[in-house]
Amino acid sequence: MDATLVVALVFTVVILVFIAKGLMIIQQSEAVVIERLGSYNKTLSPGVNWVIPFVDKPRSIKVRRYQAIGGENVAVVKEETRIDRRETVLDFPGQSVVTADNVSVNVNGALYFQVIDPERAVYQTENLIQAIEILAKTSLRSEMGKMELDKLFESRQEINDKLQVVMDEAGNKWGVKVTRVEIQDIIIPAEVEDAMRKQMAAERERRALVLRASGEREAAIAKAEGEKRSSILVAEGSKEAAILMAEGQRKAIDEVLSAGDERLDPQLVIGYLLGLEYLKTLPEIGKEGDRIFLPFEASSVLGAVGSIEALLNGPKK
């Protein structure tokens, strides 16, 4: 075989190997940081990319994840050259937090983040995931340590918002965008949970007693108002009845006087009317029993009879 042909074949093979080594296909939502002779050169985007073999090398990034080993979550650190730019969830294990009222609780949280700048994610921190996790834990412990246990359960969203602000500020330096921070579980000691259950039952009983007392008070007020209104109506009715009775008696006297053509004595007319009323009541009194004792003056009856007789016979001349 001709030496020139051999050299050409060798050269062709080297060129093909060089081209194969220099071609890098980057998947969608991935990125690769390239160093040239130890310094940053460029960041490869999704698609077909060309690098100089043996001169350009991808810079690896440490990724810390948790795996269930033997029933426990164990942290596993790996080095990868391809940086995942999708939103990632970091479900770090629970940690002990002491609240403002000195109650130790166990908190389990989750953090959602996304790599925005692969260059800063590689060069600004030695272990990106570990840095995010430790910052999330310390920030969570700091924010929850400012609150009492009773307020802790109703302030989850407030804590999440504050943590996101802190994480986002630090994440900008690391080329990471923290999208959400969530508190999954808050586990309290059994004795504290039992005390809270008793406190809740006592509070509900107190509210029930307050509502019952308030209802009884309103019912008593309503009853008193009703009795007051009833007494007023009875008094007004008695008043109107007395007025009507007086008006009726006055009209009766006027009619009798008018019938007498101003010849009757008003005193005799009044005595006559009183006598009639007295006589009307006798049958009603007789219904009370077989024997009835009535204390009365004979002169009153005789006066009433005399008044009636005077009216029948007419006035004396």
Side-chain angles (χ1 to χ4, degrees):
M1 183 178 291
D2 191 355
T4 305
L5 181 60
V6 172
V7 172
L9 289 175
V10 171
F11 184 77
T12 302
V13 171
V14 170
I15 293 297
L16 291 176
V17 172
F18 190 81
I19 293 174
K21 287 287 186 180
L23 286 177
M24 291 190 67
I25 299 176
I26 309 301
Q27 301 293 331
Q28 185 68 33
S29 73
E30 289 184 348
V32 177
V33 175
I34 299 297
E35 291 182 342
R36 178 169 294 175
L37 300 177
S39 62
Y40 173 76
N41 177 253
K42 61 182 177 180
T43 300
L44 302 184
S45 57
V48 179
N49 296 269
W50 167 257
V51 296
I52 301 176
F54 312 110
V55 177
D56 295 340
K57 293 184 178 181
R59 176 65 181 263
S60 63
I61 183 173
K62 291 183 179 180
V63 178
R64 177 188 175 113
R65 291 189 175 91
Y66 289 92
Q67 294 181 356
I69 300 177
E72 296 183 357
N73 290 330
V74 179
V76 178
V77 179
K78 297 180 180 180
E79 290 193 5
E80 298 179 357
T81 57
R82 295 176 180 264
I83 301 174
D84 194 342
R85 303 189 64 175
R86 295 174 297 178
E87 186 175 8
T88 306
V89 58
L90 176 61
D91 185 8
F92 49 87
Q95 60 173 335
S96 179
V97 176
V98 179
T99 62
D101 49 353
N102 295 324
V103 178
S104 180
V105 298
N106 191 275
V107 181
N108 182 21
L111 185 144
Y112 297 82
F113 67 94
Q114 184 178 10
V115 177
I116 303 299
D117 190 340
E119 178 187 353
R120 285 190 288 175
V122 170
Y123 292 108
Q124 294 298 327
T125 178
E126 185 269 339
N127 191 320
L128 177 64
I129 307 300
Q130 184 178 14
I132 293 175
E133 178 183 346
I134 293 176
L135 180 60
K137 287 182 176 181
T138 55
S139 301
L140 181 63
R141 188 180 294 111
S142 175
E143 291 297 332
M144 297 184 69
K146 300 176 183 178
M147 300 181 179
E148 295 183 353
L149 181 61
D150 292 338
K151 189 179 179 182
L152 199 62
F153 294 95
E154 62 185 28
S155 303
R156 289 194 179 190
Q157 188 59 44
E158 180 181 349
I159 296 174
N160 293 341
D161 295 339
K162 290 182 178 180
L163 286 178
Q164 184 170 350
V165 171
V166 174
M167 297 299 299
D168 204 23
E169 182 178 353
N172 290 332
K173 179 182 178 181
W174 300 334
V176 174
K177 173 66 176 177
V178 177
T179 55
R180 290 190 305 276
V181 180
E182 298 291 342
I183 297 177
Q184 299 184 73
D185 299 314
I186 300 177
I187 303 174
I188 61 178
E191 60 274 10
V192 177
E193 184 178 1
D194 184 62
M196 292 180 64
R197 189 180 298 108
K198 292 179 179 178
Q199 180 183 0
M200 181 175 59
E203 178 64 19
R204 289 180 177 175
E205 181 65 22
R206 184 189 66 81
R207 292 180 181 177
L209 291 175
V210 170
L211 290 175
R212 188 180 300 113
S214 178
E216 292 176 354
R217 179 177 62 84
E218 292 180 359
I221 292 174
K223 182 179 179 181
E225 289 289 340
E227 292 177 352
K228 175 184 175 182
R229 183 61 181 169
S230 176
S231 300
I232 292 173
L233 292 175
V234 170
E236 290 179 352
S238 300
K239 175 184 175 182
E240 292 179 359
I243 292 173
L244 292 175
M245 185 178 296
E247 290 180 353
Q249 292 176 352
R250 182 180 58 81
K251 290 181 179 179
I253 294 172
D254 291 340
E255 290 178 359
V256 173
L257 290 175
S258 298
D261 224 3
E262 296 184 358
R263 293 175 301 170
L264 299 177
D265 187 359
Q267 295 296 329
L268 294 177
V269 174
I270 294 173
Y272 169 71
L273 294 176
L274 291 176
L276 290 180
E277 292 295 330
Y278 176 77
L279 294 175
K280 289 179 181 179
T281 57
L282 288 179
E284 298 296 329
I285 296 175
K287 295 179 180 179
E288 298 295 330
D290 297 335
R291 297 180 180 181
I292 300 174
F293 298 93
L294 299 175
F296 61 93
E297 297 180 1
S299 59
S300 299
V301 179
L302 294 176
V305 175
S307 299
I308 295 172
E309 183 181 2
L311 287 173
L312 294 175
N313 297 328
K316 296 179 180 180
K317 296 182 181 180

